[in-house]
């Protein structure tokens, strides 16, 4: 059993807390945290890995990013040592009331960022980044029938989004065990670079992920100045985002209930990302807020 807490999403918090109580130490917020020392652990972990967020809403967002990364780190490693480990179940799925907790679904069923991230790191075919003393191993695995040809390409990416190719690898991967496609020496990454990698498998789709060899607080992030374009798509809404620089953990929020097709993703300049928002009330026009690691910790949102 393993898990990590985050705060519920802002639309849930608004259902039980007035704006004057938007502080993790307020009596109202503490009454919605039943794990002794839970709020302190969330905040202390942020100090270790991130620059501290600006404002309560960004704190809530970053708590969910942090939760997703905690579970992803564990699941990526355990899946990478297949068949020694053949499965993992995180605690927990959902909540019985609106509360800070280990859940990946908010009270009411909407997805926290962890649930979006889990869709990717629990995918039946995936490439994960696992560091050791000197290298970062890019390891392919799948839970499908037969063998699968999987290819990965790795890049060093600066804060501006400039890419430098580090290598590529491909193998036929069995379902019985994992395969190391590529090893990237840590010395190949400069202090202002992260590892970005893309892979393709049996579905023919290009997937991507990133890995930071240093705590995110050491990165001098730049303002991605994300542009958002919204267009109706039947009773749903199509949201297209573009970024001017590297943007980490880009997340959309809506002022009305509904679900996004994806969230908490990495963006590079020149790569448009289009999402679908399915509202619970189709006749209401939603307002969207976009967050990312820069705007949450530098306070420009």
């Amino acid at each position: 059993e393993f898990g990590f807490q985050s705060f519920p999403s802002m639309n849930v918090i608004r259902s039980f807390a007035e704006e004057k109580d938007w502080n993790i130490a307020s009596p109202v917020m503490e009454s919605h945290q039943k794990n002794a020392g839970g709020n302190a652990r969330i905040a202390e972990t942020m100090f270790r890995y991130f620059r501290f967020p600006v404002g309560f809403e960004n704190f809530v967002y970053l708590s969910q990013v942090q939760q997703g990364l905690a579970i992803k780190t564990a699941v990526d490693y355990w899946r990478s040592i297949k068949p020694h480990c053949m499965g993992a179940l995180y605690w927990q799925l959902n909540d019985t009331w609106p509360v800070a907790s280990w859940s990946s679904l908010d009270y009411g069923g909407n997805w926290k960022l962890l649930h979006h991230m889990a869709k990717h790191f629990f995918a039946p075919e995936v490439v994960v980044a696992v560091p050791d003393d000197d290298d970062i191993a890019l390891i392919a695995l799948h839970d499908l029938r037969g063998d699968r040809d999987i290819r990965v390409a790795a890049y060093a990416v600066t804060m501006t989004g400039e890419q430098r190719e580090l290598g590529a690898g491909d193998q036929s991967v069995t379902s019985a065990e994992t395969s190391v496609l590529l090893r990237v020496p840590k010395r190949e990454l400069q202090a202002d670079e992260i590892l970005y990698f893309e892979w393709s498998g049996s579905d023919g789709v290009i997937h991507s992920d990133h890995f930071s060899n240093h705590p995110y607080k050491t990165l001098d992030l730049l303002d991605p100045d994300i542009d958002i374009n919204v267009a109706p798509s039947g009773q749903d809404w199509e949201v297209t985002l573009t970024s001017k620089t590297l943007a980490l953990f880009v997340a959309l929020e809506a002022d009305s209930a509904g679900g996004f097709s994806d969230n908490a993703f990495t963006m590079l300049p020149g790569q448009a990302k289009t999402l679908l928002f399915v509202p619970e009330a189709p006749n209401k026009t939603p307002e969207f807020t976009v967050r990312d690691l820069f705007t949450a910790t530098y306070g420009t949102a």
Side-chain angles (χ1 to χ4, degrees):
E1 179 180 320
F2 68 104
F4 196 90
Q5 281 200 329
S6 73
F7 284 89
S9 304
M10 281 306 305
N11 60 339
V12 175
I13 291 173
R14 290 186 182 96
S15 72
F16 67 80
E18 299 178 33
E19 190 169 349
K20 66 182 179 63
D21 298 311
W22 290 0
N23 186 301
I24 66 168
S26 73
V28 170
M29 292 303 300
E30 287 192 335
S31 73
H32 287 256
Q33 166 61 277
K34 297 304 183 185
N35 179 41
N39 287 355
R41 272 187 290 276
I42 293 171
E44 192 274 334
T45 305
M46 280 188 192
F47 272 121
R48 280 190 279 152
Y49 293 104
F50 300 98
R51 302 189 188 196
F52 210 66
V54 178
F56 179 78
E57 293 177 86
N58 285 323
F59 186 97
V60 169
Y61 153 81
L62 193 54
S63 79
Q64 293 196 11
V65 169
Q66 177 172 265
Q67 178 192 35
L69 277 175
I71 305 305
K72 181 180 189 296
T73 301
V75 171
D76 280 357
Y77 174 71
W78 283 327
R79 293 191 76 189
S80 79
I81 59 173
K82 182 183 183 180
H84 181 75
C85 177
M86 294 296 287
L89 292 171
Y90 63 79
W91 178 268
Q92 67 199 67
L93 178 64
N94 55 7
D95 283 321
T96 59
W97 74 302
V99 64
S101 81
W102 305 263
S103 73
S104 62
L105 294 176
D106 274 320
Y107 177 69
N110 284 333
W111 292 22
K112 295 163 80 169
L113 295 185
L114 166 58
H115 212 76
H116 285 282
M117 295 168 75
K119 183 175 70 172
H120 296 287
F121 62 69
F122 268 131
E125 186 177 68
V126 71
V127 174
V128 299
V130 178
D132 57 27
D133 290 339
D134 300 314
D135 300 327
I136 302 166
L138 296 179
I139 302 172
L141 61 98
H142 71 86
D143 298 321
L144 306 169
R145 293 181 182 273
D147 296 348
R148 304 284 167 158
D149 293 326
I150 303 177
R151 184 184 188 279
V152 70
Y155 306 87
V157 176
T158 66
M159 300 301 99
T160 64
E162 183 180 355
Q163 301 179 55
R164 177 169 56 86
E165 188 168 0
L166 298 174
D170 62 272
Q171 284 190 39
S172 179
V173 182
T174 75
S175 61
E177 59 186 6
T178 62
S179 296
V180 177
L181 301 185
L182 182 67
R183 288 189 176 274
V184 178
K186 291 180 179 178
R187 65 177 182 274
E188 292 291 324
L189 292 167
Q190 304 299 317
D192 64 341
E193 293 177 328
I194 64 168
L195 175 64
Y196 179 81
F197 53 101
E198 297 179 332
W199 75 93
S200 59
S202 58
D203 61 3
V205 177
I206 301 296
H207 306 270
S208 63
D209 201 354
H210 82 269
F211 178 83
S212 178
N213 193 39
H214 303 286
Y216 289 96
K217 66 182 180 181
T218 68
L219 301 175
D220 288 325
L221 297 171
L222 301 175
D223 186 356
D225 191 20
I226 296 173
D227 181 68
I228 180 169
N229 184 270
V230 180
S233 178
Q235 292 188 323
D236 304 328
W237 298 89
E238 200 171 77
V239 185
T240 300
L241 305 175
T242 53
S243 174
K244 292 183 173 59
T245 66
L246 171 69
L248 299 175
F249 308 110
V250 179
L252 275 170
E253 301 170 5
D255 67 347
S256 56
F260 291 97
S261 59
D262 199 6
N263 233 337
F265 44 83
T266 303
M267 292 187 68
L268 296 180
Q271 296 180 354
K273 176 76 172 182
T274 299
L275 311 173
L276 193 67
F277 177 72
V278 180
E280 289 186 8
N283 295 325
K284 177 177 171 56
T285 302
E287 292 288 334
F288 295 102
T289 299
V290 60
R291 300 187 193 277
D292 66 274
L293 192 55
F294 174 88
T295 56
T297 54
Y298 285 75
T300 62

